Amino acid sequence: MGKKCVLSGYFGFKNFGDEAILNVLVKKLQNHKHNITVISSNPAYTKSIFNNVDSVHTFDIKSIVTAIFKSDILISGGGSLLQDVTSFRSLYYYLFVIFLGIIFNKKVIIYAQGIGPIKNPISKSITMLLLKHCSYVSVRDENSYNLLNNNGINADLLCDPIFSINTPQIENKNKTVAIQLRNCKGINADFIDRLAHQVTKDFKDYHLEIYSFQDEIDFNICKEFEKRIKMLNSEIKTDV
């Protein structure tokens, strides 16, 4: 008989990587007939892309507590959830979810995560304490593995779950180049202009596909890059 599983991660934000990880988890669990509830920032979206999957909102604490209390297994992962570089609050949020699983005596699984960096000593101590009480811990990189090992936590080193996705082999007959930009520190108008010049120079005979892996963060920067590429290509045609 299937178990009741709650999945905790950076889900519902339409981030390509995290949604791909969720896809892997859901398929693996459904293959074993488990019932799934996903903690998501957009439960309606999450339920719309998966059949027979329930979802509760990221900040609906009452529903999260109820879901974990009624579950058999809590799975936290993948991605880099347990770090305080991008957000102090998000670290404690994910630790709180793990804490609920532990105090309710559920099987808590840390699945293929990247652990750290955790700069705050208190945050690091709390994280390690909770991980020691988890049923199973796996990480996706050697730095995370060494960090846990140095703190007395047994963990398995796995590949990132995204590599478990089955993708069809497609022959590239059209000389296509895929470009994915991330809106991060250092990405500015000058960088976009220089990158666009280099891309049009190196791949002038190629078809370019520009991808945003998370629209709310990357879409504008990708559109700006696409606009600059079109302008440069227009200038090249005019010169010819």
Side-chain angles (χ1 to χ4, degrees), residues 193-206 208 229 232-233 236:
D193 185 63
R194 289 186 288 111
L195 180 61
H197 274 88
Q198 194 65 47
V199 167
T200 53
K201 175 184 175 182
D202 293 345
F203 303 105
K204 61 181 179 180
D205 297 324
Y206 285 73
L208 303 179
I229 289 287
L232 289 172
N233 285 333
I236 291 172

Side-chain angles (χ1 to χ4, degrees), residues 2-59:
K3 302 289 187 180
K4 294 180 180 179
C5 303
V6 174
L7 307 185
S8 170
Y10 191 70
F11 305 136
F13 293 95
K14 300 182 181 180
N15 175 291
F16 175 84
D18 292 285
E19 297 302 325
I21 290 170
L22 179 60
N23 183 275
V24 171
L25 280 168
V26 169
K27 285 186 176 180
K28 286 182 180 293
L29 292 171
Q30 287 187 333
N31 285 341
H32 290 85
K33 310 300 182 183
H34 296 315
N35 298 309
I36 302 167
T37 298
V38 179
I39 301 174
S40 168
S41 68
N42 191 338
Y45 168 74
T46 298
K47 288 190 285 189
S48 72
I49 59 177
F50 297 109
N51 293 323
N52 302 316
V53 168
D54 196 9
S55 183
V56 297
H57 195 275
T58 303
F59 296 115

Side-chain angles (χ1 to χ4, degrees), residues 22-233:
L22 179 60
N23 183 275
V24 171
L25 280 168
V26 169
K27 285 186 176 180
K28 286 182 180 293
L29 292 171
Q30 287 187 333
N31 285 341
H32 290 85
K33 310 300 182 183
H34 296 315
N35 298 309
I36 302 167
T37 298
V38 179
I39 301 174
S40 168
S41 68
N42 191 338
Y45 168 74
T46 298
K47 288 190 285 189
S48 72
I49 59 177
F50 297 109
N51 293 323
N52 302 316
V53 168
D54 196 9
S55 183
V56 297
H57 195 275
T58 303
F59 296 115
D60 185 349
I61 302 301
K62 182 178 179 181
S63 294
I64 291 173
V65 170
T66 300
I68 295 176
F69 181 77
K70 293 182 177 180
S71 71
D72 300 297
I73 303 169
L74 169 67
I75 302 175
S76 177
S80 296
L81 306 178
L82 305 181
Q83 48 82 22
D84 61 5
V85 175
T86 58
S87 173
F88 179 81
R89 290 191 303 169
S90 69
L91 170 63
Y92 277 89
Y93 170 81
Y94 292 116
L95 289 177
F96 170 71
V97 173
I98 292 170
F99 174 73
L100 288 176
I102 293 171
I103 63 170
F104 289 150
N105 200 31
K106 306 302 178 180
K107 185 174 183 179
V108 180
I109 296 173
I110 307 300
Y111 180 65
Q113 285 204 37
I115 311 295
I118 306 175
K119 295 184 176 181
N120 184 285
I122 296 176
S123 299
K124 183 177 179 180
S125 296
I126 294 173
T127 301
M128 298 305 153
L129 177 62
L130 290 177
L131 292 182
K132 286 179 181 178
H133 287 85
C134 291
S135 306
Y136 175 74
V137 178
S138 62
V139 293
R140 64 179 185 178
D141 61 88
E142 288 190 5
N143 287 338
S144 299
Y145 178 82
N146 292 332
L147 173 64
L148 297 187
N149 186 58
N150 291 336
N151 283 274
I153 298 170
N154 293 322
D156 286 337
L157 179 59
L158 310 177
C159 68
D160 194 288
I162 197 170
F163 293 110
S164 299
I165 296 177
N166 293 320
T167 56
Q169 295 296 317
I170 301 175
E171 183 180 355
N172 185 2
K173 298 179 180 180
N174 301 316
K175 296 180 69 176
T176 300
V177 173
I179 301 171
Q180 186 268 322
L181 295 180
R182 187 69 170 169
N183 189 7
C184 58
K185 186 177 181 180
I187 300 287
N188 52 36
D190 178 63
F191 176 86
I192 292 174
D193 185 63
R194 289 186 288 111
L195 180 61
H197 274 88
Q198 194 65 47
V199 167
T200 53
K201 175 184 175 182
D202 293 345
F203 303 105
K204 61 181 179 180
D205 297 324
Y206 285 73
H207 173 68
L208 303 179
E209 292 282 355
I210 302 168
Y211 296 96
S212 165
F213 278 7
Q214 187 174 2
D215 283 353
E216 67 179 47
I217 296 176
D218 307 325
F219 183 79
N220 289 337
I221 208 78
C222 289
K223 293 301 291 185
E224 187 63 30
F225 180 70
E226 182 181 35
K227 179 180 176 182
R228 191 70 186 105
I229 289 287
K230 289 180 178 179
M231 290 177 61
L232 289 172
N233 285 333

